[in-house]
Each structure stands twice: as structure tokens, then as C-alpha cells.
């Protein structure tokens, strides 16, 4: 999968070189390209923001650098797949994910959906966000998805994009060594969307706390039953909305 990230803070993405995502990049399973939005500015100060029309606090990201950045991404996709349109019509539009607190809430099924895409582009907002016309224009060229990481406000889209790239990237075949570990996780279909049961490892007793007896029994049926019950209890307690 190819991932393009446009940001005014390219250094934010250094952690992607670490751990399993870093290994996936080194192995060529993930091709992550981080672009500095300021490369598409043309003034001495490399300006990407301006005051909001209608007044109010804060600054808004200017449309011109974003327009040129998105043009460049579209040009890059064409170069990557020259003449890739299937005979029955134009190729599917590339996905552009725009992180915003007013977006649709990011969740595991979105991660699964995005993990099946050949390319993903991310547009990291800053200040009060990006001039609305950028998203309107982009909708003619990309499958634009406005996505929120949660019901709180971050300073910029970079942290949201790091979280999404990790959630999506780990679902790409070969990124996680043992694909079985993806099956029974919190929010997965196999777990009926429930939260995961508690997990334990050796020693069997630590600081006077014993591992639940059933997990030492070697009885797979009883272990599965115990885990299922704990999943339901934890989900009912912390996220009753998921039980619906
Ligand atoms: N004025 C905006 C509002 O009230 O909706 C908040 C702008 S926020 C300070 C700047 C940028 O951070 C946003 O454009 C977006 O890229 C990112 N951001 C902030 N909170 C986010 C969240 N919960 N999910 C995804 N992105 C977020």
C-alpha cells in the first residue's frame, strides 16, 4: 500500500520508522511518503495560513498550497499506474482522508475498509482547519473521507494520522507476524465487536495476585467461556453502546 501524508510538520512522522510499521516500510509492504505542505508555497515566508473570512479567532489554512499539493498527489498516482483505467470505465478514485474533529468517528471497520485500498492520502490540518473549498474541490477527484479520531480537539491532524496509519497498517497482510492475533481483538468481527477479556502471562502469582484458576486448567472450552463472559462484563461496564 502507498500512503501519502501532507503536513507542515513532516518530522512528526519519524515514529513510523519504528516497530512493526517501520519493518513493513523496510520490507516494502508499506510505501509511506511524507510531504511538506510548504513545498507548494511561493512566497518568502512559505505562508500556509491566513485570517478567517467572517472574523473570529485563529487562522485558516490557505487553499492554494493544498490545491497544488493534491494536484501533485494525483499526478503521482497517474505516473504510478499509467493507463490503469479498466476498459469499463475510469479507475476508482484514490481515497483522501481528512482528519477533523467534525468528521465521522474512526473505528475498526473503517480501518479494515481502508486497509484494502491500494493508496491512501492524508491531509493534516492545523490552526482552525483547512479552507472548506479544498475538500469541496477534492471531492471531484478523490474519495474524500472526513474522519475524527474522537470527541476531543487536537492541535493538528498529525497525531490522528499516526494513529490511523498504525490501525490500518497492522491489518495489511504480513505486517503482524501472527495473523491470528488480529482475529480475536477488541472491536473485531470475530469478537462480535466486544472489548477484549483480560490477559495474563507468567508467573502464575505476582505480588500476591494469582492468575484466574481457569486459565491454568488447560480446558479450552472453559477458558473460552470465561473469556466470553469477561468480554461481555467489561463491554457492559465501559462501553454499553457496543452491546447494541
Ligand atoms: N476549529 C476546528 C474545530 O473546532 O472543529 C478544530 C481545528 S484543530 C485545532 C486543527 C486540526 O487538528 C484539524 O484541522 C484536524 O486536522 C486536527 N484535529 C483536531 N482534532 C481532531 C480529531 N479529534 N480528529 C481528527 N483530527 C483532529
Amino acid at each position: 500500500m502507498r500512503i501519502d501524508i501532507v503536513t507542515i510538520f513532516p518530522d512528526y512522522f519519524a515514529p513510523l520508522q519504528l516497530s512493526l510499521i517501520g519493518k513493513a516500510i523496510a520490507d516494502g509492504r508499506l510505501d509511506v511518503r511524507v510531504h511538506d505542505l510548504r513545498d507548494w508555497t511561493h512566497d518568502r515566508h512559505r505562508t500556509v495560513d491566513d485570517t478567517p473570512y467572517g472574523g473570529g479567532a485563529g487562522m485558516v489554512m490557505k487553499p492554494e498550497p493544498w490545491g497544488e499539493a493534491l494536484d501533485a498527489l494525483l499526478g503521482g498516482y497517474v505516473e504510478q499506474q499509467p493507463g490503469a483505467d479498466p476498459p469499463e470505465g475510469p479507475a476508482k478514485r484514490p481515497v483522501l482522508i481528512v482528519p477533523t474533529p467534525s468528521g465521522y468517528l474512526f473505528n475498526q471497520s473503517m480501518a479494515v475498509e481502508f486497509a484494502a485500498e491500494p493508496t491512501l492520502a492524508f491531509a493534516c490540518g492545523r490552526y482552525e482547519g483547512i479552507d472548506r473549498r479544498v475538500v469541496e474541490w477534492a471531492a471531484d477527484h478523490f474519495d474524500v473521507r472526513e474522519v475524527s479520531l474522537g470527541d476531543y480537539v487536537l492541535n493538528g491532524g498529525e497525531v490522528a494520522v499516526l494513529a490511523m496509519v498504525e490501525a490500518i497498517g497492522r491489518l495489511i497482510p504480513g505486517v503482524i507476524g501472527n495473523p491470528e492475533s488480529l482475529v480475536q481483538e477488541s472491536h473485531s468481527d470475530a469478537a462480535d465487536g466486544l472489548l477484549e477479556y483480560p490477559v495474563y502471562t507468567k508467573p502464575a502469582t505476582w505480588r500476591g495476585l494469582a492468575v484466574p484458576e481457569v486459565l491454568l486448567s488447560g480446558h479450552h472450552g472453559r477458558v473460552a467461556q470465561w473469556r466470553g463472559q469477561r468480554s461481555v462484563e467489561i463491554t457492559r461496564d465501559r462501553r454499553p453502546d457496543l452491546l447494541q
Side-chain angles (χ1 to χ4, degrees):
M1 174 190 279
R2 170 172 164 181
I3 294 180
D4 289 275
I5 303 169
V6 183
T7 169
I8 58 169
F9 293 116
D11 292 348
Y12 242 105
F13 295 94
L16 290 179
Q17 301 305 323
L18 304 174
S19 188
L20 293 175
I21 299 295
K23 188 164 180 302
I25 293 172
D27 293 348
R29 291 180 208 281
L30 270 178
D31 172 8
V32 178
R33 306 179 191 196
V34 182
H35 311 273
D36 187 344
L37 179 69
R38 294 190 198 276
D39 289 346
W40 289 285
T41 58
H42 303 287
D43 64 312
R44 201 157 54 90
H45 301 291
R46 309 182 81 204
T47 310
V48 292
D49 59 316
D50 209 333
T51 52
Y53 276 121
M59 301 293 272
V60 174
M61 293 192 108
K62 291 163 65 62
E64 301 96 322
W66 276 111
E68 290 190 30
L70 297 181
D71 286 345
L73 293 191
L74 287 168
Y77 295 147
V78 172
E79 272 167 33
Q80 194 181 30
Q81 299 175 303
D85 284 358
E88 66 273 18
K92 192 175 161 301
R93 289 181 205 177
V95 173
L96 173 66
I97 299 173
V98 182
T100 165
S102 52
Y104 296 93
L105 215 49
F106 184 67
N107 60 20
Q108 189 67 14
S109 38
M110 259 190 222
V112 169
E113 181 194 340
F114 292 147
E117 293 290 333
T119 65
L120 292 176
F122 291 90
C124 301
R126 279 268 153 183
Y127 315 110
E128 294 306 321
I130 305 172
D131 185 303
R132 184 67 203 166
R133 292 166 294 180
V134 173
V135 164
E136 286 172 16
W137 176 86
D140 286 338
H141 306 274
F142 292 87
D143 175 7
V144 177
R145 308 292 293 269
E146 294 183 85
V147 178
S148 169
L149 200 61
D151 294 340
Y152 42 81
V153 179
L154 302 163
N155 284 335
E158 288 77 10
V159 167
V161 171
L162 278 172
M164 287 190 264
V165 168
E166 181 149 317
I168 295 163
R170 67 196 293 280
L171 299 176
I172 293 170
V175 172
I176 298 273
N178 180 0
E180 275 297 302
S181 50
L182 296 174
V183 174
Q184 272 291 342
E185 286 186 311
S186 298
H187 306 292
S188 67
D189 284 347
D192 290 332
L194 299 179
L195 303 180
E196 198 178 57
Y197 45 80
V199 294
Y200 302 86
T201 186
K202 297 174 200 69
T205 303
W206 174 77
R207 296 193 177 183
L209 299 169
V211 168
E213 194 61 41
V214 61
L215 299 181
L216 309 176
S217 69
H219 191 297
H220 296 309
R222 283 179 53 217
V223 169
Q225 190 185 20
W226 180 86
R227 287 177 169 169
Q229 282 167 352
R230 295 296 290 131
S231 269
V232 172
E233 284 163 18
I234 289 170
T235 307
R236 187 182 297 128
D237 180 43
R238 300 179 190 172
R239 292 290 306 278
D241 56 303
L242 295 178
L243 285 177
Q244 310 308 319

